[in-house]
Amino acid sequence: MMEATRALPAFDEAAAEAFAERMAGMVNTAAVTVMISLGHRSGLFDTLAGLPPSTSAAIADAAELSERYVREWLAAMVTGGIVIYDVKTGSYCLPAEHAACLTRDAPLGNLAVAANAIPVIAAAHDRIVECFETGEGTRYEDYPCFHQMMAEDSGQTVVAQLFDLILPLAPELPGRLAEGIDVLDAGCGSGRALIAMAARYPNSRFTGYDLCADAVAGAQQAARAAGLENIRFERRDLTGFDEKDAYDLVTSFDAVHDQKDPQGLLKGLYGALRPGGVYLMQDIGGSAKLENNLDFPMAAFLYTASCMHCMPVSLGQGGAGLGTMWGWETALEMLKEAGFAAPEKSTFDHDPLNVWFVSRKA
């Protein structure tokens, strides 16, 4: 006797049309996001924020840019709901409420920096398509301006909060840094956080290691420009890192999950600390479980960044490919596995995307 054929659910025409409308909105918003990145990179948001309602010619003149390009960009910003257009006067205005998250001194944080990540990671789009077929990875060199973007992000998520909120997570750190200790930043990138600490605490000694030569060169130049003699940067692959009892404080800011061997690095950093030393680690605060991230802020953006950058650069080194959303649960377990008995997890109300761990070597 033939088994009864299971009836397929009826096609929901209204649901399909609603989803198509949503998709069209996504494509439109994605285009606006690229133009927001252009506005950030060109300085147009900063220019607009300092001007009264102005014509495209006046805006272009103030920004020292081509009027024709500025006018087309403004049209995208107007239709995207970012800039207000007065048809009677032909003038454009960036409302203060919009500038509050789009300029370089934005009081709510500059989300245009996040928008800038889209064209940066999209530069590797063709390579990522190949990686889907081969399972291979990418190189940091595949992402133009990556370290510039990360330095901007570090400036507002790390450096701006470093002395008032982040270092005091381990209450003893400000005093010890003032007295003079040895500090390592593992995966230092362009070195903004380390340079800020070196300037603040001249009695301490600071070392920054990073895999990327361009990031290290930029950090060295910035340190020289600041006249700092208590800091050094070195290009170094942290795979197999094995310095012993060399530092009193080790930091890593949004760096561990990109590594070839994250667990091995954490074990190496534990070994590099002197007894009583502190390891301060920042990473993305999402969960290791997808179902826990459905309401996590900017989760789709973070998974996209993971798929397009963080995961493939680790795989490109022959690594684990943990990805951006490896999860705070995974981080805690790996810290314990590295030897840290009781890592402490913290978050800040103003910054729901990031999580901070303070771990001490007994």
Side-chain angles (χ1 to χ4, degrees):
M1 187 174 180
M2 294 183 63
E3 185 177 341
T5 303
R6 182 178 298 173
L8 295 174
F11 184 79
D12 190 331
E13 186 73 31
E17 291 180 0
F19 183 74
E21 184 176 347
R22 181 183 173 213
M23 283 298 303
M26 286 184 179
V27 173
N28 193 59
T29 300
V32 174
T33 302
V34 173
M35 300 306 279
I36 290 172
S37 175
L38 271 173
H40 171 69
R41 292 283 298 276
S42 65
L44 274 164
F45 287 128
D46 301 293
T47 299
L48 275 167
L51 291 175
S54 304
T55 65
S56 60
I59 295 166
D61 184 61
E64 299 181 351
L65 297 171
S66 163
E67 187 277 337
R68 183 65 190 92
Y69 277 94
V70 169
R71 182 164 23 113
E72 205 73 1
W73 176 82
L74 285 165
M77 291 295 93
V78 169
T79 54
I82 310 296
V83 169
I84 304 300
Y85 178 61
D86 186 333
V87 65
K88 292 181 179 180
T89 63
S91 63
Y92 303 83
C93 173
L94 179 66
E97 294 81 2
H98 296 188
C101 67
L102 286 175
T103 60
R104 283 175 169 79
D105 58 353
L108 300 182
N110 188 3
L111 287 173
V113 174
N116 190 35
I118 300 302
V120 170
I121 61 178
H125 184 276
D126 291 346
R127 175 59 184 150
I128 294 296
V129 172
E130 295 175 359
C131 291
F132 266 75
E133 298 170 351
T134 66
E136 297 174 346
T138 58
R139 307 165 301 162
Y140 282 101
E141 302 93 281
D142 293 328
Y143 305 89
C145 304
F146 173 76
H147 290 292
Q148 176 185 339
M149 177 195 72
M150 291 303 295
E152 284 192 289
D153 181 66
S154 174
Q156 61 182 7
T157 61
V158 180
V159 179
Q161 318 294 332
L162 190 59
F163 303 113
D164 293 334
L165 293 177
I166 296 169
L167 291 176
L169 288 172
E172 71 273 25
L173 280 181
R176 294 191 66 194
L177 284 161
E179 291 174 2
I181 58 175
D182 293 295
V183 181
L184 169 67
D185 188 10
C188 64
S190 298
R192 287 198 178 185
L194 208 63
I195 289 171
M197 285 191 282
R200 178 76 166 248
Y201 301 112
N203 292 332
S204 288
R205 299 155 296 280
F206 299 87
T207 298
Y209 292 146
D210 198 272
L211 177 65
C212 299
D214 57 338
V216 170
Q220 291 171 335
Q221 182 178 4
R224 285 195 298 269
L228 298 172
E229 298 182 356
N230 60 335
I231 190 170
R232 70 182 185 93
F233 292 97
E234 180 181 326
R235 181 175 183 263
R236 184 162 177 177
D237 186 342
L238 292 173
T239 305
F241 180 70
D242 194 32
E243 292 186 29
K244 296 298 185 185
D245 299 326
Y247 303 98
D248 305 289
L249 169 64
V250 175
T251 62
S252 58
F253 302 112
D254 196 17
V256 172
H257 65 260
D258 289 353
Q259 301 297 316
K260 177 180 179 180
D261 180 13
Q263 185 66 80
L265 174 60
L266 291 176
K267 288 182 178 179
L269 297 180
Y270 178 86
L273 280 171
R274 295 171 181 140
V278 174
Y279 175 43
L280 176 61
M281 181 176 85
Q282 173 243 341
D283 217 290
I284 301 301
S287 171
K289 298 179 180 180
L290 173 60
E291 60 269 26
N292 293 341
N293 292 326
L294 300 182
D295 296 321
F296 189 77
M298 300 181 70
F301 169 84
L302 293 166
Y303 278 116
T304 299
S306 181
C307 186
M308 295 292 293
H309 178 268
C310 297
M311 183 185 75
V313 295
S314 174
L315 293 174
Q317 301 172 65
L322 284 181
T324 311
M325 300 292 269
W326 62 316
W328 62 264
E329 307 97 329
T330 306
L332 275 177
E333 289 303 313
M334 290 177 67
L335 286 166
K336 293 174 183 176
E337 177 66 24
F340 297 106
E344 302 164 6
K345 170 179 171 285
S346 298
T347 57
F348 299 129
D349 291 340
H350 73 279
D351 181 13
L353 265 63
N354 291 292
V355 63
W356 302 85
F357 299 95
V358 173
S359 307
R360 292 176 172 84
K361 185 172 183 178

